[in-house]
Structures are given as structure tokens and as C-alpha cells.
Amino acid sequence: MMDALPARGCPEEDCYFRKGCNPLAETGRSKLQNRRAVLNQQILRAVRMRAGAENLLRATTNNKVREQVLLELSFVNSDLQILKEELEGLNISVEVYQNTEGTFSIPLVPLGLKETKEVDFTLPLKDFILEHYSEDSSEYEDEIADLVDLRQACRTPSRDEAGIEMLMSYFLQLGFIENRFFPPTRHTGVLFTWYDSFTGVPVCQQNLLLEKASILFNIGALYTQIGTRCNRQTQAGLENAADAFQRAAGVLSYLKETFTHTPSYDMSPAMLNVLVKMMLAQAQECAFEQISLPGIRNEFFTLVKMTQEVAKVGEVYMMVSTAVTQEPVKENIPYSWSKLVQIKADHYRALAHYFLATILCDHELQSNDDEDQQEKALSQLYDYIPEGVMILTILKDKVQRKQLGKAHLHKAIVYHEEALRVCGLCKKLRNIEVLLEVLTAAHKRSLLKYAQQETEDDFLSLIQAPDILPKTEHKVEMVAPQFSKVKVTDFFHRLGPLSVFSAKQRWTAPRIIHFHCETGELGFSLKGGSPVQIYGLDPVCSAASAGLKDGDYIVSIGGVDCKWLGVDEVLEKFESVGEQPIEVEVISCQDTTASAHSKSATYSVGMQKTYSLICLAMEENKTDQAKKAPLKLPFLSWGTKNRQKAASTLCLPSAVAASSQVKKKFSPFTFLGTESSLY
């Protein structure tokens, strides 16, 4: 459990935020995250070396130098491939993330947290406070320190609700920070660096939206780690696991819909779409385990229900298996993940055929059975019936019933053997003992059942088992992130209400106005909420003569801050002064037309062609259609000049023609289908 730290800048006694886990703690997950950070640094160095070598290759015309550079490039690409395989090994570290309390279940897939570099907000925010808000920035050192501490804690969240709450509080805090310090017309100077969860490739930007998107990804990833940690041998554990995966799917879906052009492959729409499907499939798997945990009775209608439920699990995993083999996802998703979802699809479809075979082989129609109910229940299991086959006839005819049951058993055995074969192809999965035990036990059970039905005239049985129609009474759905349940206090509350004191607004320098009341009248009226605004100013009153203007905002009276005071409270302060001279500090808003970023360069440490660049290249193909309404630029896009200067580090050149300058039109994922992909 994480400790609580009181926030330095918070005026309330109960205002606090959580510390992260100790990054130096000798726990399995800490070791894994530390190893992930080391791998990210090694990948960064290798990518920089490759970028330099490719630049040299383009610049030189000396054949000997070119041969030497090509040789070095081959070594660097080999190193990158090895590092990628090590990173993939971390992503399938079952012994770290899974609950191992006597479990006999197929492992679930967790997402690793995105790693980031430390960010020091101190100088940029202090400069912005002094320049934009015209306040003494040294008075906000505690608030800035709280922000830095909270971000640092979010790098190592605990795997529980406290960790989720901390990440969500930082995400909401970023909303305040964005409005306070990140104007739409320029960069503040804060550089954010995040590493791709699957490839380890860093992405650097001065755009706060990269930070917000990465935190959202880590919220979803943390939910998956919570789900895999649950004890799946108890009803409560399975319920919590299913809920965690549904929430993970909701967060990742929210990320996909909110941040559509992120520059990192792990947060691209295609990858997020696959991850959402995978999390929902795992939630469906937990729902099936929950209803089967008490045991499955060998009873006709119970087996019918379980057949459709497990067929549904097989169907959703089959959809995931198809999705992970599509471009551009298959180039970056861990190989062991794609094989594991294929294994699960085959395994659960095999179980569906085994349950149906048990219905046909073990439950002959008795005189006291309801024929109509059994016929209706059995017919619901099939999408189609082979020509000449009648469900009621099968129920009554012992021979046909047995033949169809054996056909389903044969299909179950085929699926079991395919699952075992695919498991044997992946080294990482072969080393997971519980996975092999589950698959082997299910295979042997089907073989034993088939042997019990074997007779001498089996060669005459040529019936083909129809596919089973999936159906579930426990449909899982995405659970949207509930940010409203997290209470967050703006660290920079003292700057004033966001409606006025934001990075989008510009004001004149604060002015000190000295005036006195004439015959008990101020000479002006007040309006608005907080801060209050001057209106109806008498041009001949003392305040107007001192420089007060209509539309001015009052920020202090007699040196006392009143940005958060309403009209009645400000009037009370004026009345308390009496006939003495009054000193007020006011500001005047300047008319500005805030414009959105026309371009936001993505620096990816030698890997300039990031996902956002590819998306922008796709827009280039649509120039003929651009005469219509202008399109909104993605928030993480490249400018045209940057795109022309960018040097691709995505492919290892085999023969480089220095004079080749032919321009090509790129499809959205041109570079993802290359042999080396990101590596």
C-alpha cells in the first residue's frame, strides 16, 4: 500500500496525494520495471547509432566507407532485434503478474506500464507565472514541488485502487496545468519523453497531450495488472478480474477516441482497437470461469448452457486472433501474445465440442423426458443442420446420436491438438507449466471420451460435426473511466479562477489604483462572479481619475488577494475601509484570438517517422479533396518541412542510390509492413 503525503500548497488539512511504490524495492514487478527502463535506454542508444550511420551512408560516396557503414548497420539492427525480443519477454512475464495461489487456469495477458523520463517543471512554470500572471513565482515553489512529486509517484503506482486513483488524479491535474500554463499559440518549454510499451522507442514532445495520453494508457495497463493479480479460484476474485478488464477496455477505448493521432505505436488506433478486444475477451473468459467454478453438472440443460457460454469465449478470442494478424498491428504486438490468443480460441472451441459430445453420448432420451424442450435446446446450439438430419431423430436414434457425438469429440481433439502444437511453437509459452498442464489435461479428457465410444465400424461414420452457435447470458461491456469520482484540488488554485486566469487569456500589467469614496459612493458598480469586474464607471469619479476603467478585474484590495471573492464579499471589504483612501489592484483583459497549433514537431530520437508523421503523410494523398472545408490538423502532427527533412530509420538499406529523389505517396502504414518494422 502506498503512503500518503500532504500536499505543500494545499490549504485544506485533508488535502493529500499518494506516493508511488518504492522503485528500489526488491519485488518482482519492481525488478521487471527496472529492467524495462534499462532496455529502453539500450534501445535509445542503438536507435541513435543507427540514425547516425544512415545519415553517414547518405552523405558519403566512398565505397569503402559505405561498405563499413552497411556492416555496422547490420550489427546495430541485430542488437535491436535482440533487445526487442527481451522486451517481449517482459511483456509475457507470467510469473510476475499472475496470481499463483494454487491456480489451474490459462494465464491472462497484462499490459506493461509505459516508462518515462523525469520532468522538471520548476523553471518553465516559474518563468510563465512571472511573465504571464505577473506574480512572484517564488511564492509557488511548493505547488510546483507537489506537481513534480505527484508525477514522480505516478511512475511506480501500486497495483490496487489507490494506484488507479493516483494516476487519475494526476490526469485530472494535467487538465488544470494545461489551462494554466500551456497556451495554444506557443510551447512552454517542458519536454515530455515516453517510451513505447511494445518497442521501447522513445517519443519526445513539448505537447502536454502526449503526457495525458500516456497516463491514460498506464491507467488501462494498471487495470490489466490488477485483473491478472486477482485470485481466479474464488468467485470474488473472478468478479474483480472481469471488472478490471472491462475497466481497462473502457480506458483504452476512451484513449482511442480522445487522442486520435498519438505518435506512439502502442497508442495508435489500430493497436488500441486490438487491445480493447483482447481485454473484453479476457473479461468474457473470467465470466465463464465464474459460472463454471462451482463445477459443471453432467445434466442435459446445464451442459447446453455451458456449451454456448464456452463457445462465446472461443468466438471472441478468434476475433482477437484475427485482429492481431492484421497490418500494422502484427509487426509490433508480442509474438507470444498472438500465439496465446490463438491457443485460447482453439482451446475454448474444443471445450464447446466436448460439452456437446457429452450431451449426445451420455444423455439418451428417456420416456419421462420432455422431447420438445430437449429438441428446442439442442437446435439452439447449431447455426445450421446438415441436410437430411433432424434434431428429434438424433435424440431418439441411438446410432445417429452416437455418431454425431463422436464427430464433435473428433473436432474437439483436433482443436486440442492444434492448441498444443501452437503452444510448442513459442518458446515463452512452452515454459509456462500451468498452460501446458491445462491444455494436456483437456486433450487427454477428450481422447478418453472418444475411446469409450469407439466401435469396430467407426470407419463408416463419415458425419461432419456442425459449428456451434455461441451465446452468453453474461455479456461483458466496456466500463468508461469514472473521473468524476476522483476529487482533485488545483495545485495552482491561488492564481485565481480558471475562467479568467488561464493561459489563453492575456492582460495588461497589474495597476495600483488609489481613490476615496465621495459621499459614500464608489462611483462604479460590480458584476460577475469571481473575480469581480468593474462596470458602469462614472467618468468623473475619483477612481476613474486614478486610472480605473470599465471591464477591469479587481485582484486585490488593500494588498489582500480577492481573486476568489464575489460581489458581496468585495463590497464588504470596501465598506470596511470607510472614508479612508482605498488601494485596489486591477488588471484589464486584452483582446486575443487564440489559434491552434499549426504544427507540433515530434522528436523521436532518430526515429522521425513516427505514427503521427505517417498519419500526416496519409493526409497528403487527399490534397485534391482539400478544396472543401479545411480539415483540422492532428494535435501531434508534423509540418511539411519537417516531413521533407525527416530521415527514415525504419529500414536497413541494402543498396542506396544517393541521387534518388523520387517522391512517393505513402499509405497510412507504409513503413509498418517492412522487414525491419520499428527495428
Side-chain angles (χ1 to χ4, degrees), residues 27 116 206 221 498:
T27 63
T116 181
Q206 295 187 42
L498 262 176

Side-chain angles (χ1 to χ4, degrees), residues 437-499:
E437 290 175 1
V438 172
L439 297 180
T440 303
H443 182 224
K444 289 181 178 179
R445 182 175 55 198
S446 295
L447 287 174
L448 179 61
K449 192 76 174 177
Y450 189 87
Q452 293 173 352
Q453 311 302 321
E454 208 166 13
T455 57
E456 295 180 358
D457 58 347
D458 276 345
F459 65 95
L460 297 176
S461 178
L462 301 177
I463 189 171
Q464 182 71 25
D467 291 333
I468 299 173
L469 190 64
K471 182 182 177 182
T472 180
E473 297 177 0
H474 304 270
K475 185 178 180 180
V476 297
E477 295 179 345
M478 293 180 292
V479 178
Q482 299 174 330
F483 296 113
S484 59
K485 291 187 176 181
V486 181
K487 304 288 175 130
V488 177
T489 301
D490 181 8
F491 283 160
F492 297 90
H493 177 270
R494 290 192 294 136
L495 287 174
L498 262 176
S499 58

Side-chain angles (χ1 to χ4, degrees), residues 577-594:
V577 176
E579 297 181 356
Q580 298 178 4
I582 302 175
E583 176 187 298
V584 297
E585 185 178 4
V586 298
I587 58 173
S588 300
C589 279
Q590 295 177 339
D591 292 333
T592 59
T593 54

Side-chain angles (χ1 to χ4, degrees), residues 99-104 233:
N99 185 294
T100 57
E101 297 180 6
T103 183
F104 191 71
Q233 302 305 306

Side-chain angles (χ1 to χ4, degrees), residues 360 378 385 389-398 400-402 404 463:
L360 296 170
L378 196 59
I385 303 295
V389 178
M390 301 292 293
I391 295 296
L392 186 58
T393 305
I394 292 174
L395 287 172
K396 293 181 177 181
D397 191 324
K398 183 177 180 180
Q400 288 192 34
R401 188 179 184 126
K402 183 178 180 181
L404 184 58
I463 189 171

Side-chain angles (χ1 to χ4, degrees), residues 619-635:
E619 296 296 329
E620 192 178 83
N621 293 335
K622 301 179 180 179
T623 51
D624 294 337
Q625 303 173 359
K627 297 179 181 179
K628 300 178 181 179
L631 297 175
K632 292 184 180 179
L633 289 175
F635 76 85

Side-chain angles (χ1 to χ4, degrees), residues 265-520:
Y265 284 105
D266 56 356
M267 297 190 293
S268 66
M271 181 64 78
L272 290 174
N273 186 52
V274 170
L275 294 179
V276 168
K277 289 181 179 179
M278 185 180 294
M279 297 310 121
L280 289 177
Q282 294 189 141
Q284 192 70 58
E285 181 181 5
C286 292
F288 168 72
E289 291 180 352
Q290 191 175 0
I291 60 177
S292 62
L293 184 64
I296 301 174
R297 292 189 299 115
N298 193 355
E299 188 267 331
F300 186 92
F301 294 104
T302 300
L303 288 173
V304 168
K305 177 183 176 182
M306 298 306 296
T307 299
Q308 290 191 306
E309 290 285 351
V310 75
K312 183 64 178 179
V313 180
E315 181 193 45
V316 293
Y317 270 116
M318 195 63 219
M319 294 171 60
V320 178
S321 181
T322 302
V324 298
T325 58
Q326 304 298 315
E327 295 285 359
V329 175
K330 73 174 185 179
E331 297 294 336
N332 297 309
I333 202 159
Y335 175 76
S336 52
W337 288 15
S338 61
K339 293 305 174 186
L340 183 58
V341 296
Q342 184 180 345
I343 288 169
K344 290 190 176 187
D346 290 331
H347 173 71
Y348 287 112
R349 285 188 295 176
L351 287 183
H353 285 282
Y354 174 80
F355 289 151
L356 185 48
T358 304
I359 294 174
L360 296 170
C361 296
D362 293 359
H363 296 276
E364 295 183 4
L365 190 63
Q366 303 296 328
S367 57
N368 57 343
D369 291 335
D370 190 332
E371 293 183 4
D372 293 338
Q373 287 293 331
Q374 289 198 8
E375 180 185 10
K376 181 180 178 181
L378 196 59
S379 62
Q380 290 177 350
L381 296 177
Y382 295 115
D383 191 17
Y384 73 96
I385 303 295
E387 187 177 351
V389 178
M390 301 292 293
I391 295 296
L392 186 58
T393 305
I394 292 174
L395 287 172
K396 293 181 177 181
D397 191 324
K398 183 177 180 180
V399 175
Q400 288 192 34
R401 188 179 184 126
K402 183 178 180 181
Q403 286 181 346
L404 184 58
K406 290 187 63 176
H408 281 290
L409 278 175
H410 180 266
K411 204 163 188 177
I413 292 170
V414 170
Y415 280 134
H416 282 311
E417 290 176 348
E418 178 64 13
L420 287 167
R421 184 191 70 82
V422 174
C423 184
L425 294 176
C426 182
K427 180 180 178 181
K428 297 288 191 303
L429 299 179
R430 286 201 306 267
N431 295 330
I432 303 177
E433 294 182 2
V434 66
L435 175 60
L436 285 174
E437 290 175 1
V438 172
L439 297 180
T440 303
H443 182 224
K444 289 181 178 179
R445 182 175 55 198
S446 295
L447 287 174
L448 179 61
K449 192 76 174 177
Y450 189 87
Q452 293 173 352
Q453 311 302 321
E454 208 166 13
T455 57
E456 295 180 358
D457 58 347
D458 276 345
F459 65 95
L460 297 176
S461 178
L462 301 177
I463 189 171
Q464 182 71 25
D467 291 333
I468 299 173
L469 190 64
K471 182 182 177 182
T472 180
E473 297 177 0
H474 304 270
K475 185 178 180 180
V476 297
E477 295 179 345
M478 293 180 292
V479 178
Q482 299 174 330
F483 296 113
S484 59
K485 291 187 176 181
V486 181
K487 304 288 175 130
V488 177
T489 301
D490 181 8
F491 283 160
F492 297 90
H493 177 270
R494 290 192 294 136
L495 287 174
L498 262 176
S499 58
V500 176
F501 298 96
S502 68
K504 296 179 181 179
Q505 302 285 352
R506 295 192 65 84
W507 320 274
T508 59
R511 311 190 311 277
I512 303 296
I513 306 295
H514 295 275
F515 67 97
H516 60 275
C517 296
E518 299 174 352
T519 64

